[in-house]
Amino acid sequence: MPDDLSPFPQAVTLPCGTVFAVSDHGEGRLALAAPEIPMPPDQLFAKTLSACERLTAQGPEVALRLDGAAWAPLLPRLRAQGVALACAGGDFVLPETLWQVPDLWLCHDAPAYPLVWRQGPHGRHPLRPPAPEGQLYRRYIPWLGQTFGLRALTMDDLPLFHRWQNDPRVAAFFEEAGSLEAHQAYLERLLADPHMTGVIGMLDDMPFAYFELYWCRENRIGAHYEAGPFDRGWHVLVGEESVRGADYITAWLPSLMHYMFLSEPRCARIMGEPKASHAQQLRNLARAGFAHLRDFDFPHKRASLVALDRQHFFETRAWARPAPTDGQPLRLSAARLLDKGDW
């Protein structure tokens, strides 16, 4: 493909000035050269992840082949951490493996917490780790030109939470409008509950949304399906009117799912239980990769049970605003590369 027709850049230049040359072989097949300037292995590893992120953060299928002898010192680490797959045709970085490595996005350690079982309301469940604090996740959104972030909720967020909950548009579906005292009690209960985590969503450090993350096995949803030990669920409140529309939803929704998968590597599914009558939310969830399983009844609402499978999320690159599928097999999946050995 001629350079002037390529949808990809001829090089990736990081803010620090480091340059990675890119050769476009067509149909998403890219060859990535290591920087010409020598640097310590840890520095090269971090910059390589950043360059690969830029080439896989938006758009169609892509596979990055690491070309040149300069990659040799770094390849054992890239392979060991699952960033690069060693195939007969070379070493490849694929979005579905790269985006499961937390280094670029996660702001806190997330090792697999020791597996200790406790009795809960719907059978036994794992003992949960302490809720994370401070900054949790950051990701640059190319189509917004802004950085999406997550931080842990604190009681300092009470005035913001109170204002958002009393917005008539929010109250219509969250149903928690009330006094400052009532909202203070709500947050105190949430912060004391080991199966819940309150999170504030931000764009360029401006708070715009509140998320409740929970473990399904201990939650009310656990009474309505066979919850896995690390299934997670969530509720959302978008509090700022200016942060609405498809461009924003396709930024925060998959980014939140990305965080939930990264922060617990044993999480295989993310569940949801929106109102069965909330047609727009159900359409947004379907576009984000959620499958509608069935409708069921809580005492307070008719709900739709929806699920997002971990493998589906990463294979379809849900964070990248991919085009609707044409029904054809993926050309650049790990399964095909490992089987065929080359592009």
Side-chain angles (χ1 to χ4, degrees):
M1 179 180 293
D3 290 337
D4 60 348
L5 296 180
S6 172
F8 299 99
Q10 296 181 18
V12 174
T13 303
L14 302 181
C16 61
T18 302
V19 178
F20 292 77
V22 179
S23 301
D24 189 347
H25 293 256
E27 298 183 320
R29 299 171 302 157
L30 305 179
L32 189 68
E36 296 181 356
I37 300 175
M39 63 187 72
D42 286 349
Q43 194 176 109
L44 178 58
F45 180 80
K47 291 183 177 182
T48 297
L49 294 188
S50 293
C52 292
E53 179 197 19
R54 289 180 172 229
L55 292 168
T56 59
Q58 182 179 5
E61 281 190 77
V62 63
L64 313 177
R65 188 175 66 195
L66 304 178
D67 278 2
W71 288 113
L74 194 61
L75 285 178
R77 182 175 179 183
L78 292 172
R79 292 168 180 167
Q81 292 193 222
V83 178
L85 298 178
C87 304
D91 283 87
F92 294 87
V93 177
L94 297 178
E96 65 186 278
T97 56
L98 173 72
W99 285 71
Q100 293 191 65
V101 177
D103 300 54
L104 279 171
W105 305 280
L106 211 59
C107 301
H108 62 87
D109 293 332
Y113 195 72
L115 188 58
V116 179
W117 291 93
R118 297 195 62 189
Q119 187 65 28
H122 311 300
R124 66 177 194 159
H125 64 82
L127 178 68
R128 304 304 180 184
E133 299 178 349
Q135 296 293 323
L136 307 179
Y137 175 95
R138 290 184 72 84
R139 176 198 164 201
Y140 180 73
I141 309 296
W143 57 90
L144 293 180
Q146 295 177 286
T147 297
F148 171 81
L150 296 169
R151 63 169 175 80
L153 174 90
T154 71
M155 286 305 298
D156 290 341
D157 295 306
L158 175 59
L160 190 66
F161 182 84
H162 176 63
R163 175 169 67 84
W164 285 347
Q165 290 286 13
N166 284 312
D167 182 320
R169 178 181 55 83
V170 172
F173 65 89
F174 215 91
E175 299 178 346
E176 287 292 342
S179 68
L180 187 67
E181 292 74 20
H183 290 147
Q184 179 177 340
Y186 183 103
L187 293 186
E188 287 173 347
R189 288 194 301 272
L190 180 134
L191 290 170
D193 189 337
H195 102 281
M196 300 284 287
T197 301
V199 175
I200 297 294
M202 301 171 295
L203 279 175
D204 286 346
D205 297 320
M206 180 198 80
F208 76 92
Y210 164 74
F211 304 106
E212 288 178 353
L213 314 184
Y214 60 83
W215 301 103
C216 295
R217 197 108 165 188
E218 300 99 282
N219 192 265
R220 65 188 184 187
I221 197 175
H224 296 275
Y225 86 107
E226 293 296 326
F230 297 101
D231 285 4
R232 306 189 79 170
W234 58 292
H235 299 131
V236 57
L237 174 168
V238 176
E240 299 300 330
E241 182 71 21
S242 61
V243 186
R244 300 187 71 190
D247 283 347
Y248 292 107
I249 293 171
T250 54
W252 66 255
L253 178 52
S255 296
L256 179 67
M257 301 303 108
H258 190 213
Y259 169 72
M260 294 171 75
F261 282 130
L262 290 184
S263 58
E264 175 45 82
R266 293 169 292 188
C267 176
R269 284 183 301 185
I270 295 174
M271 308 298 294
E273 32 92 335
K275 279 187 176 180
S277 60
H278 201 325
Q280 183 59 55
Q281 187 175 14
L282 290 170
R283 285 193 293 270
N284 291 336
L285 292 171
R287 284 194 291 266
F290 280 83
H292 179 269
L293 303 184
R294 58 182 170 83
D295 290 349
F296 68 99
D297 289 319
F298 281 128
H300 66 293
K301 72 174 182 180
R302 180 75 172 163
S304 289
L305 185 67
V306 298
L308 177 63
D309 176 74
R310 183 188 190 98
Q311 180 179 353
H312 179 72
F313 176 84
F314 287 105
E315 285 187 354
T316 58
R317 310 172 333 280
W319 62 85
R321 297 214 298 186
T325 179
D326 59 5
Q328 298 301 310
L330 296 176
R331 300 185 310 275
L332 302 173
S333 67
R336 293 195 65 180
L337 278 174
L338 291 169
D339 183 55
K340 295 174 60 179
D342 201 350
W343 284 331

